[in-house]
Structures are given as C-alpha cells and as structure tokens.
Amino acid sequence: MLDMMRALIGTPSVSSTNQSLDQSNLPVIHLLADWLENLGFTVSVEPLSNHPGKANLIATIGPSHKGADGLVLSGHTDTVPYDEHHWQQDPFKLTEKNNHFYGLGSTDMKSFFALAIDVASRFNLKDFKRPLTILATADEESAMTGAQALTKKQFHHAKYAIIGEPTGLTPIRMHKGVMMESLVVTGQAGHSSNPNLGASATEGMHKVINELLKWRDDLQRKHQNPSFAITSPTMNIGSIHGGDNPNRICSHCETQIDIRPLPGMDIDTLRADLQKRLNNILSIDSKLTLAHRPIFAGVPAFETAANAKLTQMVESLTGKKAEAVAFGTEAPFLNRLGLETLVVGPGNIDQAHQANEYIPADQITPYCNFMQKLISNICIK
Ligand SMILES: [Zn+2]
C-alpha cells in the first residue's frame, strides 16, 4: 500500500484552468492500470475528447455481465497546483513524520487509490457475485471534465458508488452546488460633461447589482435546508471592474458572481431565471447591452436520500450519521448516472489544497476495514 502511495504521489498530475500549470494525468492512469490489470481487473482507459493528455480509467472485476447492482469506488487522479516555497518537504515524495503521511495529493486524494487497490487485492476473484469497479477521473480540481464525460453505459453493472474524498471517515450525502457567472454591461464612452454623448455601463451595472441582491433575497426566502451550516443558498458578488477615468463615461463594466445552490435547485433553471431578470432590467435603457456568460459549466448540488440503502449501510458500517458539507465533489455526476452515491474517505478537507498536505496514518486502517466490509456486503455476500 505504501509503495503505491509513494508511486502515485511521486507522479505529478496537477490540473489547472491555467494552461501553464496544467499537466497530463496519463502517467497516474497508467500506474493504476498496471496494478489493476495484475489483480485481474478488466481495465479501460478512456481519453477525454478535446482534452489531449487526459483520461478516465474504469476497471472492473467480477461478473460484469450479471446484474446491475455492483459497487463503484471512485476518486480523482489530479491534484491542485502547489507552491514549493511553502512545503517543508518535497511535495512529490511521500514523507512520514509524526504519524502523518505528507505529499501533494496524500489526502486529496491519491492515497485513496492505494487503499482501494490494496483492499481489492484481499478478495478472491471467484468470490465476486456482483462487480466491483474502480473509477479514476481526470480534471476534478479544474473543470470536472472527467466526471462530465462519464456515461450511463459505462456503469450499467453498478448501483452504488463511494467517492473517497477526505471527509475524516464521516459519510456525506449532501453538498451544495457551485456556479460562477460573468455579467458584462456595455455602454458608450463619451465626455463626462455631456451625458447625452454616451451611455454609462457603471450605472447599468448598478441596476444589475440591485437586481442580483433582490434575486438573492427571493432565493433565500424560497430555499432553506437546515442540514447545512449555512442553511440558505448563497451569492457572492466577487469582483467588479469598469471604467478608467472620472471624466469619461464608462463603456464597459464586468462583475463576476458565485452562487451556491442547495440540493433541489437546478443550475440551468437558475441561469435562465437570472437571464430573464436581467433582460427586464436593462431593456428599460436600450443604449446598454448585457452579456451573461457562465465562467465554467458549474457543479450541481448533490443529495442522496437519508433512507437510501447505501446511506443506511454506510452509516451502520462507520457508526456515523451521514452529513452535509460545503465543498463540491463529483457525486452529482455519479448520481445522474443512476448510482446511489456517498462521499466518505480518509483524511481531512482542512489539509487539502494546502502546502504540507498530509493524511493521518491512524485513519488508514479504519478506512480499509470499512471498504473491505462494504465490498463484502455489496459484491460478495
Ligand atoms: Zn478532491
């Protein structure tokens, strides 16, 4: 297991929307493919179209032709970028210190694959009555293009999925979604002494922001979920840029917003609502135009029912009640494929996306024991 952790962490696979930092995940995929093929898994490496150097891996063991109620153990192969100056040790060298294993991706979430493969190797191929699938995705940390490329056909043999993101071994059945939108008001520049010479984009943006805040109030009044620490959907008006000089009419103003919808709120519907509201506002002044653009496709909110079979099974195996978290995962994409999905993994989210990321050694054995029982319950019994 440690050898696998060492090899995975030693194989860089940063994903970033910044092209100069973005790396291929194929070297990690090939490591996993080799190990899984050796165990008797049928391995399929699925390149992402339009994303050269990126691929998902789907590896299945057991009677995949029989039944449709197998288990998927899922993780992402990429890491966030790193800042070497803040690391006290080489981010690509698994380092054990004070009962912690340090390394980039140690907790988020390369170790998960080493643990899952180690646990899978404890079973006998002929004992599988239902298939076990290990899924490894690309680009979770950037645009989730790997998860978005998955299709129902690839998982016709599975019914349940566990994503091993770091949750400190607590099962998670809900998280909010995230969407980020850019709104640009375009007007007409002119000398400030005569307003008739132009059309002020900053004044148009003032109306846009007023409407955004009204919309936020409406959304928060309509949608509440007491399972979350912040019980309502949120909207952050994160940036605004416009104009260049006090004596010039501003011709261009952009704001960027972030919205965190609750489960049950659909991203496409929200986008359509936003568009409709803003069209109404600016149509009053025909000299101004508004362009609305999603900054990325967005991650839907995620919810698996409290009384779902997997929720109850995992709650009883971990002895912990399933909770809601603030961070996003690939779970909504797996749910969309008809897989009952929970997020539960070793390590803590507080150590993810940081220098000196580590996985606590004392969470490894309990998590392996949990996976062993889960595989046994779903695939063997
Ligand atoms: Zn992650």
Side-chain angles (χ1 to χ4, degrees), residues 136-156:
T137 61
D139 279 2
E140 190 269 351
E141 300 288 9
S142 44
M144 298 218 180
T145 36
Q148 290 181 51
L150 299 171
T151 65
K152 216 167 196 139
K153 217 175 106 211
Q154 294 166 326
F155 296 95
H156 59 90

Side-chain angles (χ1 to χ4, degrees), residues 122-300:
R122 301 173 191 174
F123 291 91
N124 202 326
L125 175 55
K126 65 178 190 327
D127 292 337
F128 281 90
K129 294 200 178 73
R130 284 162 293 275
L132 171 67
T133 299
I134 292 187
L135 167 64
T137 61
D139 279 2
E140 190 269 351
E141 300 288 9
S142 44
M144 298 218 180
T145 36
Q148 290 181 51
L150 299 171
T151 65
K152 216 167 196 139
K153 217 175 106 211
Q154 294 166 326
F155 296 95
H156 59 90
H157 55 282
K159 176 152 183 211
Y160 306 104
I162 293 290
I163 299 179
E165 290 273 9
T167 68
L169 309 181
T170 299
I172 301 302
R173 65 176 188 88
M174 271 192 276
H175 63 61
K176 287 183 182 177
V178 56
M179 52 195 284
M180 294 177 188
E181 313 289 298
S182 153
L183 301 164
V184 177
V185 178
T186 305
Q188 171 69 50
H191 196 285
S192 62
S193 61
N194 184 352
N196 295 325
L197 292 176
S200 169
T202 41
E203 290 182 24
M205 188 55 84
H206 171 78
K207 292 182 192 163
V208 166
I209 289 179
N210 261 342
E211 191 58 27
L212 287 175
L213 296 179
K214 267 196 238 161
W215 187 45
R216 182 171 74 184
D217 284 348
D218 289 349
L219 291 174
Q220 294 184 336
R221 219 174 295 117
K222 257 190 249 163
H223 303 275
Q224 288 285 327
N225 187 327
S227 301
F228 288 91
I230 306 297
T231 56
S232 57
T234 56
M235 178 196 297
N236 179 49
I237 300 174
S239 77
I240 179 163
H241 297 281
D244 49 19
N245 227 36
N247 63 358
R248 216 160 102 87
I249 296 170
C250 168
S251 65
H252 183 273
C253 188
E254 175 175 15
T255 185
Q256 297 194 341
I257 63 172
D258 152 301
I259 299 171
R260 307 269 164 164
L262 287 167
M265 299 170 73
D266 175 63
I267 286 183
D268 291 337
T269 310
L270 287 169
R271 272 194 188 123
D273 284 357
L274 173 61
Q275 186 72 51
K276 207 166 118 196
R277 279 188 173 246
L278 296 179
N279 284 348
N280 292 342
I281 287 303
L282 287 191
S283 60
I284 300 162
D285 189 339
S286 57
K287 279 184 178 166
L288 295 172
T289 57
L290 175 80
H292 167 205
R293 168 182 72 83
I295 294 167
F296 78 121
V299 178

